[in-house]
Amino acid sequence: QRTDYHFSDLIFKYYHKIGNQHTLTLTGFTGADDYFYQSDKVFSNTIKWNTYNVGLNWQWVRSSTFMTEAHFNTGVYHQQFGGDVNVYVLDLQSDISNGNAGIQFYQEFDKHELTYGLETTFRDIKPNQATLTLNDEIFTLSNARYVGSLESAVFIDDELELNDQWRFGIGIRVSNFIQLGPFNRFVEEGTVVTDTISYSKNDIVKT
């Protein structure tokens, strides 16, 4: 019987000042987790997780009471689960990739601290791709494909200083979610499928 587990993380940050008002920040991250378990000859199990992220941030300090900040980041996440019982090998994988961009503003006046802006996030998700291997022959149990989505939002937040000990905050955020193709919509009459509507990649399926 044997159990192994190891992980690694690497973080990268770079700051660059442009004059007295502008700052660019580049960040990167990668991480990996690897788990393995082996029982007495009969069963083994593996779990792997990988993460990759990179982001860019721009900050513009216009004055002591007004600042603008814009950002863009993207990431990829991969998870794999494996099980081995005698001559059977089960492999299960899932993947997520996303991109996020936004801009927000910070403004102070009187006793108010105002934050407002907008952002959008694109996600591509590939759920549970499962395969079974038996005596070197591979069987696909679920042939999953990527499913996309787009989420956009606007927001505003106001923090009011009442006195030296009390602050009051109020805000609102409005979001819109869009499901994107590829996707197959089945038209049913009772329990019978009468038609299939196919959406290509990045076609709007539902808002």
Side-chain angles (χ1 to χ4, degrees), residues 8 43 52 71 73 77 97 207:
S8 62
F43 174 74
Y52 308 94
H71 70 272
N73 58 72
Y77 311 88
S97 59
T207 59

Side-chain angles (χ1 to χ4, degrees), residues 9 20 24 50 62 98 108 110 129 142 146 151 191:
D9 292 324
N20 296 323
L24 286 177
N50 298 94
R62 301 188 182 188
N98 63 58
E108 296 181 12
D110 296 332
Q129 175 79 32
S142 63
Y146 282 98
E151 182 181 4
T191 58

Side-chain angles (χ1 to χ4, degrees), residues 142-199:
S142 63
N143 191 16
R145 56 182 179 177
Y146 282 98
V147 178
S149 67
L150 182 66
E151 182 181 4
S152 302
V154 294
F155 57 89
I156 184 170
D157 177 82
D158 184 18
E159 188 169 300
L160 173 64
E161 182 181 353
L162 301 178
N163 53 47
D164 292 338
Q165 296 181 331
W166 292 92
R167 301 173 74 93
F168 175 77
I170 186 172
I172 185 172
R173 178 185 176 95
V174 179
S175 298
N176 178 50
F177 183 85
I178 301 175
Q179 179 186 349
L180 301 174
F183 184 78
N184 290 327
R185 185 190 300 277
F186 299 104
V187 180
E188 299 180 350
E189 291 185 4
T191 58
V192 179
V193 177
T194 59
D195 195 9
T196 302
I197 303 174
S198 297
Y199 298 87

Side-chain angles (χ1 to χ4, degrees), residues 18-124:
I18 305 175
N20 296 323
Q21 294 181 307
H22 302 273
T23 303
L24 286 177
T25 305
L26 178 65
T27 60
F29 171 81
T30 179
D33 292 78
D34 196 343
Y35 168 82
F36 175 79
Y37 170 77
Q38 174 71 59
S39 69
D40 296 332
K41 301 180 181 179
V42 179
F43 174 74
S44 67
N45 173 225
T46 58
I47 300 175
K48 296 183 179 181
W49 178 266
N50 298 94
T51 303
Y52 308 94
N53 283 296
V54 63
L56 180 65
N57 181 276
W58 167 61
Q59 188 180 86
W60 178 15
V61 181
R62 301 188 182 188
S63 68
S64 60
T65 60
F66 192 25
M67 184 178 72
T68 302
E69 190 170 4
H71 70 272
F72 170 79
N73 58 72
T74 183
V76 177
Y77 311 88
H78 174 76
Q79 185 180 32
Q80 180 177 355
F81 170 84
D84 188 341
V85 182
N86 291 331
V87 294
Y88 298 93
V89 179
L90 176 66
D91 186 66
L92 182 66
Q93 301 185 49
S94 61
D95 297 275
I96 301 174
S97 59
N98 63 58
N100 174 271
I103 186 169
Q104 52 190 1
F105 305 89
Y106 307 91
Q107 190 172 2
E108 296 181 12
F109 58 94
D110 296 332
K111 294 186 177 182
H112 295 267
E113 292 184 7
L114 200 62
T115 304
Y116 54 95
L118 55 90
E119 67 175 354
T120 184
T121 302
F122 173 80
R123 297 183 181 90
D124 230 0

